[in-house]
Amino acid sequence: MTLADDAIAWYSVNARDLPWRQPDTTPWGVLVSEVMLQQTPVVRVEPAWRSWMTRWPVPAALADDPPSEAIRMWGRLGYPRRAMRLHACAVAIVERHGGRVPSDLDELLALPGVGTYTGRAVATFAYGQRHPVVDTNVRRVVCRAVEGRPDAGPATTAADLVAMSELLPADEATAAKASIAFMELGAIVCTARAPKCVDCPFHDVCAWRLTGQPLPEGPSRKPQRYAGTDRQVRGLLLEVLRHATGPVPRQRLDLVWQDEVQRARALAGLVEDGLVESLGANDFVLAGDAPRGDIQSLL
C-alpha cells in the first residue's frame, strides 16, 4: 500500500459531504468553489456557493450581468476582487471557449485570475486529470509524512509540486482521488496546530511522527489583523455601495470611517482595483453600475 492508497481509503470513509463534490457538479461549480475557498473557511463558503450557483449556474449567465452584480452577490466573503476575477473568467470562458470551462490546463491557466493552484484544482477535481494540486494543507501533509518536518513554510514552491507529483498514482482517475484525499486529510486531521495523529491513515509511517519532534512554536504564517486595517475600511465602503440604488456621494462614504486619510486611501484602492468607479470627483458606484457615457474610469 502506498500513501496515496491509504489516503484514498481514508477519504472514502471520512470525506466531508460538500456540495461542490457531488457527482453532478459542473466544472463551473468546481471553479467557483475553488475561488471562493481561497482564504475563506468552508462554513462561510457553502451557503454563498449555493446562492451563486442558483443564480449563475453557467458562465454565460454571469457574463450577461455586470460585474457589480458579482460584487453584490459576493457579500461579506472577503477579498472581493475574487468576485471580479470570477466575472472576468465567465466572460473569457464565453468568448474563448463557447461557455464551457476548458479542460486543458494551459487554457485554464490563461483565464483571468486563475493561478497555479486553481488551474490544477479544476483540471483535477472537475476533469479527473493527473496534476499535483498543492495548497497549504497538502504541503503540510507531505512535509510531515514524507520529509519528517512539522511545517512546510509559508509559500508553495516548485519542489512542492514535484514532491506531490511523485506521490500520485499513474492512473489519472486514481491520481485525482488521491489529490482530493491528501487535501482533505490536511484540512481535518493533519492540521497545523492540533493534528489528530491517532486518526491519520499515515500514523504508522509518518516520518515526522516517528521522529517524536514537537510542533514548532507559533504559526508558520503570521495571523492577519483585520480590525482597523484598510481591508476593514474597504469592506465598509463596499457595503454602502452594494446596497445603493444609484450613485453614492462622497459625503455618504465619509460617514463610514473617521480617519480621513485611511478612508481616502481605501476608496482610491477600490477604484484602482476596478471594484468601484467614480462619476466625476464626488460620486461613486460599483463597477458596471454607471451609465457608460457618464463614467470617469480610473481603472
Side-chain angles (χ1 to χ4, degrees):
M1 292 282 284
T2 66
L3 290 180
D5 293 329
D6 290 338
I8 291 170
W10 171 87
Y11 181 82
S12 67
V13 176
N14 297 283
R16 290 170 293 179
D17 183 18
L18 301 176
W20 45 85
R21 292 178 179 169
Q22 298 306 308
D24 60 348
T25 301
T26 63
W28 170 241
V30 173
L31 174 58
V32 171
S33 74
E34 290 299 336
V35 174
M36 286 187 168
L37 286 165
Q38 295 167 10
Q39 298 179 288
T40 307
V42 167
V43 67
R44 293 183 58 204
V45 168
E46 186 166 350
W49 183 88
R50 292 183 186 278
S51 297
W52 189 284
M53 294 304 298
T54 296
R55 180 167 179 178
W56 298 307
V58 295
L62 176 58
D64 283 343
D65 276 342
S68 55
E69 290 304 300
I71 300 170
R72 287 192 176 90
M73 182 65 85
W74 197 258
R76 300 184 66 84
L77 273 182
Y79 301 100
R81 277 178 289 183
R82 292 180 293 169
M84 295 287 288
R85 292 189 193 116
L86 270 175
H87 186 274
C89 266
V91 172
I93 289 167
V94 170
E95 292 177 347
R96 303 176 195 172
H97 306 289
R100 292 175 56 86
V101 176
S103 60
D104 179 76
L105 179 58
D106 289 337
E107 292 179 344
L108 285 167
L109 293 173
L111 293 174
V114 172
T116 297
Y117 167 79
T118 303
R120 284 169 168 76
V122 174
T124 299
F125 304 148
Y127 291 108
Q129 297 176 12
R130 185 189 187 278
H131 298 288
V133 183
V134 179
D135 69 351
T136 301
N137 292 319
V138 171
R139 291 173 58 242
R140 186 168 55 251
V141 171
V142 175
C143 180
R144 288 175 177 174
V146 178
E147 300 174 18
R149 296 186 291 116
D151 198 303
T156 299
T157 67
D160 294 316
L161 295 175
V162 172
M164 184 60 199
S165 183
E166 290 175 349
L167 295 176
L168 294 178
D171 175 69
E172 284 205 335
T174 308
K177 291 178 183 177
S179 290
I180 190 63
F182 273 92
M183 189 172 295
E184 187 77 339
L185 189 61
I188 65 178
V189 173
C190 192
T191 58
R193 304 307 309 159
K196 306 176 184 68
C197 294
V198 294
D199 298 328
C200 182
F202 304 157
H203 180 272
D204 294 336
V205 296
C206 174
W208 171 65
R209 192 192 70 80
L210 293 175
T211 66
Q213 297 298 314
L215 288 168
E217 293 183 5
S220 60
R221 297 188 182 187
K222 185 178 180 181
Q224 293 185 336
R225 182 171 61 91
Y226 179 74
T229 63
D230 285 5
R231 276 186 59 217
Q232 182 184 15
V233 183
R234 286 163 60 103
L236 293 171
L237 293 169
L238 277 180
E239 191 68 10
V240 173
L241 290 160
R242 278 194 196 99
H243 292 94
T245 56
V248 177
R250 186 183 293 271
Q251 294 89 334
R252 170 68 184 87
L253 296 175
D254 287 347
L255 299 176
V256 307
W257 196 255
Q258 201 168 30
D259 186 326
E260 181 179 353
V261 173
Q262 187 178 24
R263 186 180 65 245
R265 183 172 64 241
L267 181 58
L270 290 171
V271 173
E272 183 178 351
D273 289 342
L275 290 160
V276 172
E277 292 172 341
S278 62
L279 306 180
N282 293 305
D283 292 297
F284 299 87
V285 294
L286 290 180
D289 270 357
R292 291 296 96 187
D294 295 340
I295 294 176
Q296 177 185 342
S297 177
L298 297 182
L299 299 182

